[in-house]
Amino acid sequence: MPEWSPERLAARMPFLEARARLTAATRAWFGARGYREVETPCLVPAPGMEVHLRGFPSEYEPHLGQGRRRRLWLRTSPEMALKRLLAGGAGPVFELARVWRNGEVGDRHAPEFTMLEWYRPGLPLDGLMDEAEALLRDLCAPRVSFGGVETDLSLPFERITCAEAFGRWAGVDLLASLRPDGTGDAAALGAREGESWEDTFFRLLLDHVEPHLGRERASFLTHWPAPQAALSRRDPSDPRVALRFELFAAGIELANAFDELTDEAEQRARFAHDTAERERLYGAEAAWPVDEDFLQAVGQMPSGSGIALGFDRLAMLAAGARRIEDVLWLGRFPYED
């Protein structure tokens, strides 16, 4: 049966109605806290800078307008657009943004999905954790579950650093593998033959650390190693780590957050590294140019923090759904064979 068949749509309807209530409650929640809802472009000159993300390319043809023919991309996140607005003085802001990531299909992944992102100038990362904790408590039932893992959201959320988590569950000294210049020593992390520092980090994270996060209570995994800083600033008290956290509940990674980097030169250097690494791993066809306009905005951003939360995953927890397609109006269309 097609996704739109009465039988399949009726089976999803309780989850979809719960999602609609969650959407309305989310807008009200942010409005009550002084956030401005914004809408930013879906077609962008660079979809995002994460090395391992694949984008959906498009093309602008000026047959009825001005400009030049150019390659554009469907965004993987509204982050770079929202930070432009922060630089212009629009914050605090939030967006329920449609985003695209090529090739990601599964019970928790869809190539087209909704990202809830919010940013508040002047808010430190601890304050953002407080907000994220309040959001989940206010919008979800006291207990949520997925895949047999149940989390009590009424309990204080756990806050554990990457170094603490790797020492406790992987038996390694993560900080000893990190150099002050922001690089990692693979051998010091116990790399297997042929593994890079990043390969080893993610193997240990996925196999030994994540299975313990967001179980009986929700977890914030904080203070990520500097090689995984992305768009966050490094900790002034220990440059080996970055001011970043991920949020887990019911065994699911829900959100990724940064104390935002506002140093244009450092962000440029990171983008250059990521661009070269993406091309090395996936070829020139997977590459796109660095967004120079965004880099200019970085240097003018106010200090503060921001977070990207998978709204479909939050809807799954709020509705008690087992698969992401249950909370999508047309399920896996057009990706389902």
Side-chain angles (χ1 to χ4, degrees), residues 3 19 105 164 169 200 222 228 230-231 241 254 299 313 318 320 323 337:
E3 291 281 1
R19 180 194 178 110
V105 176
E164 292 168 338
W169 295 309
T200 309
T222 74
Q228 295 298 313
L231 282 77
V241 298
L254 284 179
R313 292 184 179 184
R323 300 164 300 182
D337 292 329

Side-chain angles (χ1 to χ4, degrees), residues 118-168:
W118 73 94
Y119 296 81
R120 181 179 284 277
L123 184 69
L125 210 59
D126 284 346
L128 187 61
M129 283 188 265
D130 293 339
E131 281 201 341
E133 186 167 342
L135 177 80
L136 262 64
R137 275 213 192 93
D138 291 345
L139 299 187
C140 295
R143 298 190 75 88
V144 295
S145 64
F146 179 81
V149 178
E150 187 171 292
T151 295
D152 185 347
L153 296 178
S154 68
L155 296 176
F157 287 21
E158 175 185 33
R159 300 186 183 191
I160 183 170
T161 69
C162 279
E164 292 168 338
F166 274 66
R168 182 182 305 175

Side-chain angles (χ1 to χ4, degrees), residues 306-335:
I307 184 169
L309 185 149
F311 191 74
D312 307 275
R313 292 184 179 184
L314 183 64
M316 289 166 60
L317 296 187
R322 292 180 300 135
R323 300 164 300 182
I324 196 170
E325 64 192 81
D326 292 335
V327 295
L328 303 177
W329 279 95
L330 280 177
R332 290 186 179 174
F333 174 86
Y335 308 102

Side-chain angles (χ1 to χ4, degrees), residues 142-265:
R143 298 190 75 88
V144 295
S145 64
F146 179 81
V149 178
E150 187 171 292
T151 295
D152 185 347
L153 296 178
S154 68
L155 296 176
F157 287 21
E158 175 185 33
R159 300 186 183 191
I160 183 170
T161 69
C162 279
E164 292 168 338
F166 274 66
R168 182 182 305 175
W169 295 309
V172 299
D173 186 343
L174 182 62
L175 294 180
S177 77
L178 301 173
R179 305 184 183 101
D181 66 356
T183 61
D185 181 345
L189 195 58
R192 295 171 179 170
E193 185 176 355
E195 278 188 336
S196 66
W197 181 93
E198 183 181 64
D199 294 334
T200 309
F201 173 79
F202 279 109
R203 173 172 57 81
L204 296 175
L205 177 69
L206 295 174
D207 292 348
H208 299 284
V209 175
E210 285 195 2
H212 296 277
L213 299 174
R215 315 297 286 189
E216 176 58 26
R217 59 177 176 151
S219 304
F220 292 110
L221 183 64
T222 74
H223 294 80
W224 282 59
Q228 295 298 313
L231 282 77
S232 63
R233 69 185 182 97
R234 288 202 267 174
D235 188 343
S237 66
D238 187 348
R240 295 175 298 174
V241 298
L243 297 174
R244 170 185 175 184
F245 72 74
E246 287 191 356
L247 169 61
F248 295 80
I252 297 177
E253 178 203 332
L254 284 179
N256 184 32
F258 304 145
D259 189 314
E260 303 297 347
L261 179 63
T262 58
D263 184 323
E264 179 183 345

